[in-house]
Amino acid sequence: QEKTLSSIDNYLEKSNKITMIKRGNYAWEPTLNNMASERLVVTIDGMQIFGACTDKMDPITSYVDVSNLEKVAIGSGQEGTEHGHSIGGGIDLKLPTPKFNGSGYKSGLDLGYETNGNYKATGLDLGYTGHSFFINADGVYRKSDNYDAGNTKEILYSQFEKYNMSLKSGYKFSDTQSIDVNLIYDKATDVGYPALPMDVSLAEALITSLTHYYKSEGKVFKSLETKLYFNTITHIMDDTKRPIVPIRMDMPGWSDTYGFYSKAALIKNQHHFTLNLNGFYNKSLAEMTMFSNNPEEPDMFMYTWPDIRTLYSGIFIKDDFHFSEHETLASSLRLGYHSSEIAKDVGVQSLEIFHGNVDEQNDRFLISLASTYQLKKDNYNLSLGLGYGERAPLVSEGYGFYLFNSFDNYDYIGNPNLKDEKALDVNLNFKQKFNDFEIGLETSYFYIMDYIIGELTPNVSSMTIGANGVRVYTALDHASIFSSYLNSSYKISKRFTVNGTIGYNYGKGNNSENLPLIKPVSYFAEFNYNTPKFNAALQLDGNGNQSNYSRLYGENETADYAILNLNLGNVFYHKLGKTILKYGVENMLDTNYSTYADWNNVPRQGRNFYVNLSFVFR
């Protein structure tokens, strides 16, 4: 990370396959393979968590901080279905694994400041690790005022304030068994969304889990990991700080999830098996109250998510078959039972206005298959994967009621009669090394059947004042998404390296219309200088003109851009531990720009100087 206190959003965006949709300066939504969160499975250490906002203001990634995590695992397409069904892939935000190494006490303090937005961040970490017990606590506080786009243009309603605290403790019963307990509390307040008509007064999450680990000394059965978890989310949208709105609204939402998984590892000859049995129960409820400007008229109330209950249970089986030291065939299967129910009668009655008879309960059986051949040699790697997968519609797609989308300016109605979305995918990855030069290609193609998207419904009045009309979720017969990235790096000397990436993406439906939010041609180049105690990097980051935009779904053409970043870092060792200093400037030339992923073309940050100081004590 260029910054010790980098946000999880900035961290994820380093991946070629991930782009973050920005509706403001906080809580960016991850997309993977040009597919947004409804086509992904995003988990925290294998735990299913569902946002409580009908406007997608609270992606799962917004409820953790980098201080909570050990790493992020990304699985493309059907390779990412260990924890659930998806089309585009899976993102698992992994918590630290238990360690009983007897290292004793440790502590750390992080301080960060950025000039753009007067952004301040502070982190504190305290821990003790023995041979049979450990405990660790950390907290992060972040606060930002409105940021400035290029040419010092202030972006109103881009402020936010966030607290994140976590506690993790574990006990080792023996060499084979241990348990740990995790608790994460995350609270964001006064969050502005300049690209949306409303802000957020509260986004709050409590994430808890209890995990049991068993390591076997047997020849076949190697380990068993079992987790029980619960999380609850409260999200409150409001417009009280907006000076002029057609009508005042309150839009709170709640999401509670109970779940478990039990994961086993086995080895038999050349076969390495992974089995994961998992399940969850989720309750999603959201409502809207419109306050009349006329005291003689009553306020209007409705459920935008009419208390949807979702029950899922499934099993994942994977076999890594090692042909030889260099060749592996990884094959996986996920089978799942998915049931959703409308708990509020008024929700059934509301949806029957548009769909006739609506069943209170909808049961589905889902399947996922994947197989990947991998060849690893000293100077090159090759992998070829094929997959087929299915997913059920999410709550908004199936049961949402008058959800306003400011991207295309339409109200959206859910459709409980939607079919499962299905996809075939193929991916190819190749990397070749020539002494100090390395080049690689990663490419993927998705053929998606019953592609869920909103379709204009004539002669239906919108609920939102100023909206263009109403769209009801329906499905295209099929759609295609393709992406390809060429990566290269060259080691000029022991200290100097240079690397670069260029990418191309394409997406179109069977109606010959471009799909929305497909990344245009992109490029990235970086020049690095490294010593044991100092590093420097100069970066060029840019996109081409987005000419293949989707006018039908509310997009417009986005101009090309290029920005320069300079990142520097020092490390100082002393008797108490070490001190790390990271500093630099982003968008050095103060370019005013927005990307295809910036909701309603709200510009990104202009020039920003930053400094992060970390003290690590051992």
Side-chain angles (χ1 to χ4, degrees), residues 16 439-442 484-488 500-504:
N16 278 344
I439 189 167
L441 175 70
E442 49 183 312
S484 184
Y485 288 86
L486 184 67
N487 310 300
S488 63
T501 296
I502 185 167
Y504 171 77

Side-chain angles (χ1 to χ4, degrees), residues 361-374:
Q361 184 170 322
N362 198 322
D363 300 325
R364 303 169 187 267
F365 181 76
L366 303 172
I367 185 171
S368 167
L369 297 162
S371 188
T372 301
Y373 168 78
Q374 188 171 63

Side-chain angles (χ1 to χ4, degrees), residues 291-415:
F291 299 101
S292 174
N293 293 322
N294 185 346
E296 297 181 0
E297 293 182 359
D299 299 333
M300 188 184 75
F301 173 88
M302 67 181 184
Y303 290 106
T304 48
W305 284 346
D307 197 359
I308 306 303
R309 313 291 179 90
T310 302
L311 176 67
Y312 174 85
S313 59
I315 187 169
F316 173 84
I317 304 170
K318 184 179 180 182
D319 174 23
D320 290 306
F321 178 61
H322 297 261
F323 291 101
S324 65
E325 181 185 354
H326 304 290
E327 292 179 282
T328 305
L329 181 66
S331 301
S332 66
L333 166 69
R334 170 167 281 280
L335 302 173
Y337 167 75
H338 183 283
S339 176
S340 54
E341 179 185 7
I342 309 174
K344 298 285 187 187
D345 290 337
V346 67
V348 177
Q349 297 161 7
S350 298
L351 290 169
E352 283 180 339
I353 298 171
F354 299 92
H355 302 292
N357 291 330
V358 171
D359 294 329
E360 291 184 12
Q361 184 170 322
N362 198 322
D363 300 325
R364 303 169 187 267
F365 181 76
L366 303 172
I367 185 171
S368 167
L369 297 162
S371 188
T372 301
Y373 168 78
Q374 188 171 63
L375 174 64
K376 285 188 176 182
K377 293 284 190 177
D378 291 337
N379 60 341
Y380 72 90
N381 293 342
L382 170 69
S383 72
L384 176 65
L386 299 170
Y388 168 80
E390 301 170 347
R391 75 164 181 104
L394 289 193
V395 172
S396 289
E397 296 169 325
Y399 306 102
F401 193 67
Y402 278 101
L403 307 180
F404 179 62
N405 184 339
S406 64
F407 188 78
D408 61 7
N409 205 44
Y410 281 85
D411 284 332
Y412 275 69
I413 305 291
N415 183 354

Side-chain angles (χ1 to χ4, degrees), residues 262-281:
S262 189
K263 181 165 63 174
L266 304 93
I267 297 178
K268 178 68 172 177
N269 299 325
Q270 297 160 287
H271 296 272
H272 292 210
F273 292 101
T274 301
L275 285 80
N276 192 333
L277 176 67
N278 69 323
F280 68 84
Y281 176 77

Side-chain angles (χ1 to χ4, degrees), residues 401-445:
F401 193 67
Y402 278 101
L403 307 180
F404 179 62
N405 184 339
S406 64
F407 188 78
D408 61 7
N409 205 44
Y410 281 85
D411 284 332
Y412 275 69
I413 305 291
N415 183 354
N417 302 319
L418 287 169
K419 297 179 182 178
D420 298 333
E421 195 172 78
K422 300 166 279 289
L424 293 165
D425 70 77
V426 57
N427 60 80
L428 171 69
N429 292 283
F430 178 76
K431 186 184 291 184
Q432 176 76 53
K433 188 173 183 180
F434 305 93
N435 297 321
D436 294 327
F437 177 69
E438 191 175 275
I439 189 167
L441 175 70
E442 49 183 312
T443 185
S444 60
Y445 173 75

Side-chain angles (χ1 to χ4, degrees), residues 130-170:
H131 294 288
S132 60
F133 173 78
F134 78 88
I135 186 168
N136 191 85
D138 66 70
V140 173
Y141 170 73
R142 302 176 185 271
K143 189 178 191 309
S144 176
D145 299 333
N146 291 333
Y147 72 84
D148 290 337
N151 301 321
T152 354
K153 178 186 177 183
E154 183 182 7
I155 303 301
L156 299 177
Y157 314 113
S158 60
Q159 79 289 340
F160 71 88
E161 187 172 14
K162 172 189 172 81
Y163 309 82
N164 180 279
M165 293 173 284
S166 72
L167 178 67
K168 183 181 180 71
S169 183

Side-chain angles (χ1 to χ4, degrees), residues 8 44 60-65 68-69 93 162 164 184 186:
I8 184 67
I44 298 176
I60 305 312
T61 48
S62 69
Y63 290 116
V64 291
D65 207 289
N68 307 143
L69 306 177
L93 309 166
K162 172 189 172 81
N164 180 279
I184 298 173
D186 191 278

